[in-house]
């Protein structure tokens, strides 16, 4: 049997991970000198409550190689193979830790795919990996197929506040002030494994319209594959987003998700968007 292992930045809920048969290894979240295992010792709700009162942004630290060594060794001792799907290498050393562990434990029966993404984009790749696993693909076939799919995944989201982008140094204080006054709403994506801005509008609805035009004119979704929708502590925004894009994505399996600590640190509460695979 092939066991799929991911990390907590995939933002799969414990219930969804259990349904899929996926093992989730947590990163650590640091608020000053306090550290918590992401999704284990701190829930997403608790994270956003804590985030609202900070003067300095929290940080995260990668999963250490030893944790992966223990996880991979246990799975191999149970007679199963491992497919690993982790946060983009440009964002965290977690994937590198997994590669180190693979070399130590078993290079022949453990495969690791560079996803280039995070949060509900990574979760989307895990969802598809589970469907392909259940179709009976071999480890090498899974690895090759997911490597191809990782190159086609796209994530677009509307950010509700400029506060956390300013705190993280991604925009200037002056830009944040002016943007706040004008109601500027940035549109972000993941490019080369990093969070980047691709546009700005005024208000969430205009942000949705920006993304809608993007889907129509730049990179059309492959609706034969699932689409994930993610939000940062704003279920209402998620509901609005899924209702807005649902007709455009007719035929696709639409899956909800919550944005966790890694991306949530930079976008803050109220962000919402979707991840999908572009057509070939």
């Amino acid at each position: 049997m092939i066991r799929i292992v991911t990390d907590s930045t995939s933002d799969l809920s414990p219930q969804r991970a259990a349904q899929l048969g996926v093992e989730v290894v947590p990163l650590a979240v640091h608020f000053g000198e306090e550290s918590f295992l992401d999704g284990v010792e701190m829930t997403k709700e608790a994270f956003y409550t804590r985030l609202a009162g900070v003067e300095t942004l929290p940080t995260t630290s990668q999963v250490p190689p030893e944790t992966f060594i223990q996880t991979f060794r246990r799975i191999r001792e149970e007679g199963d193979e491992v497919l690993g799907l982790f946060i983009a290498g440009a964002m965290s050393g977690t994937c590198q830790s997994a590669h180190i562990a693979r070399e130590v434990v078993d290079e022949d029966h453990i495969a690791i795919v560079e996803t280039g993404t995070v949060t509900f984009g990574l979760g989307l790749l895990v969802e598809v990996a589970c469907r392909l696993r259940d179709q009976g693909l071999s480890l090498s076939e899974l690895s090759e197929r997911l490597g191809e799919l990782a190159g086609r995944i796209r994530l677009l989201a509307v950010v509700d506040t400029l506060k956390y982008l300013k705190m993280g140094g991604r925009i200037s204080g002056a830009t944040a002030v002016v943007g706040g006054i004008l109601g500027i709403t940035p549109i972000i994506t993941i490019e080369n494994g990093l969070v980047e801005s691709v546009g700005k509008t005024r208000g969430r609805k205009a942000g949705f319209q920006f993304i809608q035009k993007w889907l129509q004119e730049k990179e059309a979704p492959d609706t034969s594959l699932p689409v994930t929708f993610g939000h940062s502590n704003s279920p209402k925004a998620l509901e609005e987003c899924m209702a807005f894009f649902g007709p455009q994505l007719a035929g696709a399996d639409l899956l909800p998700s919550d944005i966790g600590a890694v991306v949530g640190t930079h976008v803050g509460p109220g962000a919402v968007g979707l991840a999908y695979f572009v057509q070939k």
Side-chain angles (χ1 to χ4, degrees), residues 12 21 90 95 126 200 259:
L12 295 173
C95 194
V126 172
K200 55 187 179 181
I259 297 172

Side-chain angles (χ1 to χ4, degrees), residues 28-48:
V29 182
H30 310 284
F31 284 88
E33 296 182 357
E34 291 185 88
S35 297
F36 307 88
L37 290 178
D38 182 24
V40 177
E41 298 172 331
M42 175 171 278
T43 64
K44 293 182 178 73
E45 294 79 8
F47 167 77
Y48 284 107

Side-chain angles (χ1 to χ4, degrees), residues 62-82:
Q62 67 194 56
V63 179
E66 183 57 37
T67 299
F68 281 125
I69 289 171
Q70 293 173 3
T71 300
F72 294 167
R73 186 166 285 156
R74 170 173 48 79
I75 292 172
R76 288 298 298 129
E77 288 173 353
E78 293 169 357
D80 296 329
E81 295 182 298
V82 177

